[in-house]
Amino acid sequence: MRKAFKRSLWALLAIVLLCAMGIWLLLRGSLPQLDGDAALPGLSAPVSITLDANGTVTIEARNQIDAMRALGYVHAQERYFEMDLMRRSAAGELSALVGPAALDVDKQHRLHRLRAHVERDMAAITGDQRAQLDAYVEGVNAGLAALRVRPWPYLLLRESPQPWRAEDSPLVGMAMYFDLQGGEDASELALWRMRPHLPPALFALLTHDGSRWDAPLQGTSRGDAVLPGPQLVNLRTLPGDSAGAARASPEAPGSNNFAVAGTLTADGRAIVANDMHLTLRVPNIWFRTRLRYPDPAAPGGKVDVQGVTLPGLPMVVVGSNGHVAWGFTNSYIDTMDWKLETPCQHGLPADCSKLVGHHERIDVAGADTVWLAVDETPWGPIVHRETDGRVLSLRWAAQLPGAVNLGLARFARAADVDDALRLAQDVAIPTQNLMLADSKGQIVWRLLGPIPQRGPGCKSIALVIDASQENCPPWPLSTRDNPLLRSPQLDRMWTANTRVVDGDTLRRVGDGGYVFGARAAQIRYDLQQKPRFSERDLLAIQLDDQAMLLNHWHALLMQVARDARTPALNALAGSAHKWEGRAAPESVSYRLVRDWRLAVTKRIADGITAPARAAMGKDFVMPELQQLEGVVWPLVNQRPNHLLPRKFASWNALFEDAAAEVRDALKPLGPLPLRTWGEQNTAAICHPLAKAIPLLGKRWLCMPAQPLAGDGNMPRVVRPDFGASERMVVAPGHEAEGYFHMPGGQADNPLSPFWGTGHEAWVNGTPTPFLPGATQHTLTLQPATR
């Protein structure tokens, strides 16, 4: 029996080793070719592809068409699975690849029928870039076919990758609409539904649109809210319930960008800094690329553009071409409107809205096909049906002609900011705050992308358009003559997803949910501290993790703990007495004060919305309240009894209850004085399929679980799986002195030499060069007959 057991054990070990060897060979087989020669049909001349130690790709070609063909080849070899996810996400086709787990997302996205809209608008989307797009698509499919084994995620999913098509590239751009704008407009709808159940003064307080932290480039701060008196609102007598419903507002997709003009640097160079905040994954969403090729239309007759590409798109998205550098932040202008409509039934009533029906097929891997019925009015798809027979339809910029195009590719040949502004007139992407700097020392802010052209009959403050606004027809989009500001009027500029403009300009672009202004205010403060700047100074601002917002909250915690002398407040104050004033991984006080502020804010939000929640019951939905700090801070300082949530006997009782929640949540982890911020803010940056491999997925397919410095309401935006997807600081014409960070690495394959490269520098904030380093690999793509 012992011999039989040993033979079985050796046999099992052999099977395990054979399986491991098989997996290793398959992973090896799906690695891209890095050196030597490879054939690429359609090239007019050989193309050189070099890679540095981080996997940054430099493509040198005879012309733009060859460069785009080679870029497609490289993207497919390195990132085809991620490209596939992007196109499928936008089109609502993920279930066909990953199965029923993605069905709800597919239904939500398919409602907008973006693939059909892209196919309808392809001529306008491609414009004069059609030849470049076709070359890119052919390069993608050639790169995919050249892999010895299909990319490893398809082996795990037991699926085969489908060829890339021309309309798939605009869909990658459309995927960013979902990432940056959502496509649901849930908060405006929630506010509209609760408005009838709140006194006007209470609703006005809830929707106060700013705070003392506002930092617009145009106009002034809204300041904190002026609290209504007891004759207007008394929460102690209004209906309410004891159930809490508030939730922390999710991390808002966005970014930081800021620039200084040449008047603020030693040699007249303008510098731009950009870090785009997104969900973090392995590999990174961006792909570091340098493109070099002759171009008679470019300054000096050549293009040399370095930055990041988005696999699936034939262009550099953010970067510098030696003459102009540019970066983006999400603008949060208002790109969606609800409309309450009466659908036509046999042509009645006279003012009814005609419906067009569609039946959308959703294929599901491993399950039956699902059919989704989509009804559209001239306004947009019907999202909700009311009990009285009326419907709520949603108009969204992403659904309309002019939502996306390939115009951004032309920035590679921009000569200066004025040339870039000319090109920007016809660029369609999800509307961004564009920050430009040029080699002449000039800087510019402009909204880049389509803006809804609402007519005068559309009330800008309406949450839902109804029959009272019958003179508000469906609006089109325009990318032309967008708002801009520039030097020399402003020599420092910044945006951070907050309100940038005011007055008539704000009424034109609207408020799509501007982010709380603390981060922008801190960037503005940092920019005002010095008369001269270098690239290193702007990188330091990007890495600023000072807790300016929480300085006052720490003082408040210490004060109320002294006054109240209650157990939970004393415990928090005792453990947070040493105030580092930074979101440092080792800081205990930062974590405790942060969590207490959120707990206090939650209780106040519950109290303000309690009358609506009591009236609406299960239909109540808490909106995102990005500007609530501007209400909470005057409340916790003035502490009026008539605005105290009715479930609490006093403001000190509210503060103690919030402290008890924080204390009790942390108690299972150990002593309160040892609960550091890094313990909570630990990296969880993984490949999308990490959870699909039990036990080993987290070890093989994630970056190290390191404690991270930074948080949301400061320039250094870092959360476990959200934050700066890149950091760039560059002066056009001085790229060799620029800096660049990127988490998650360049490669998709864990056996690649570029798996996770650059990630450690991003974690630690170590300055690393903007330009590629020394060549480590050289691949030459040779023309080949088809």
Side-chain angles (χ1 to χ4, degrees), residues 50-58 288 290 754 769 771-778:
T50 58
L51 299 95
D52 69 0
N54 285 321
T56 305
V57 168
T58 298
R288 295 186 67 177
R290 185 177 192 177
F754 312 123
L771 289 178
T775 297
Q776 303 293 316
H777 302 274
T778 301

Side-chain angles (χ1 to χ4, degrees), residues 36-154:
D37 291 348
L40 179 55
L43 290 177
S44 66
V47 173
S48 169
I49 299 176
T50 58
L51 299 95
D52 69 0
N54 285 321
T56 305
V57 168
T58 298
I59 296 175
E60 299 205 38
R62 174 178 288 182
N63 52 56
Q64 185 185 19
I65 300 294
D66 282 357
M68 293 304 105
R69 193 179 301 275
L71 181 63
Y73 184 95
V74 172
H75 278 170
Q77 291 249 306
E78 293 278 5
R79 296 286 194 87
Y80 195 82
F81 179 66
E82 288 71 30
M83 295 165 60
D84 197 3
L85 292 181
M86 293 281 282
R87 66 172 173 179
R88 288 177 180 274
S89 174
E93 298 169 356
L94 284 168
S95 298
L97 180 63
V98 302
L103 187 55
D104 288 342
V105 173
D106 276 354
K107 288 180 178 179
Q108 177 197 341
H109 290 194
R110 187 68 68 88
L111 183 71
H112 300 285
R113 304 182 62 248
L114 295 189
R115 182 176 287 279
H117 295 324
V118 165
E119 291 172 348
R120 174 197 65 195
D121 299 330
M122 273 300 286
I125 288 171
T126 57
D128 62 0
Q129 301 290 309
R130 183 66 203 221
Q132 291 88 329
L133 176 60
D134 287 343
Y136 178 83
V137 170
E138 291 173 6
V140 167
N141 289 321
L144 179 63
L147 292 172
R148 291 172 293 167
V149 178
R150 64 184 184 267
W152 69 268
Y154 296 97

Side-chain angles (χ1 to χ4, degrees), residues 257-261 271-273 435-436 443 491-493 527 538:
N257 62 18
F258 44 98
V260 293
I271 312 173
V272 64
M435 194 69 73
L436 289 166
I443 59 173
D491 54 10
R492 298 168 173 87
M493 295 190 191
L527 287 171
L538 268 63

Side-chain angles (χ1 to χ4, degrees), residues 521-540:
Q522 193 160 330
I523 293 170
R524 178 184 63 182
Y525 174 85
D526 288 344
L527 287 171
Q528 292 171 341
Q529 299 312 297
K530 299 188 68 173
R532 288 285 183 270
F533 293 89
S534 66
E535 286 86 346
R536 185 64 69 97
D537 295 322
L538 268 63
L539 177 62

Side-chain angles (χ1 to χ4, degrees), residues 252-334:
S255 314
N256 300 328
N257 62 18
F258 44 98
V260 293
T263 53
L264 299 179
T265 63
D267 58 3
R269 70 179 68 181
I271 312 173
V272 64
N274 185 218
D275 44 296
M276 298 182 283
H277 307 153
L278 295 168
T279 298
L280 303 179
R281 69 183 193 196
V282 180
N284 191 281
I285 186 174
W286 310 113
F287 189 81
R288 295 186 67 177
T289 308
R290 185 177 192 177
L291 301 174
R292 307 179 74 183
Y293 52 87
D295 186 339
K302 64 178 182 180
V303 164
D304 185 353
V305 59
Q306 163 75 34
V308 294
T309 56
L310 178 58
L313 287 174
M315 64 184 70
V316 170
V317 175
V318 163
S320 180
N321 68 3
H323 307 277
V324 175
W326 67 95
F328 299 128
T329 71
N330 197 24
S331 68
Y332 285 96
I333 68 165
D334 191 0

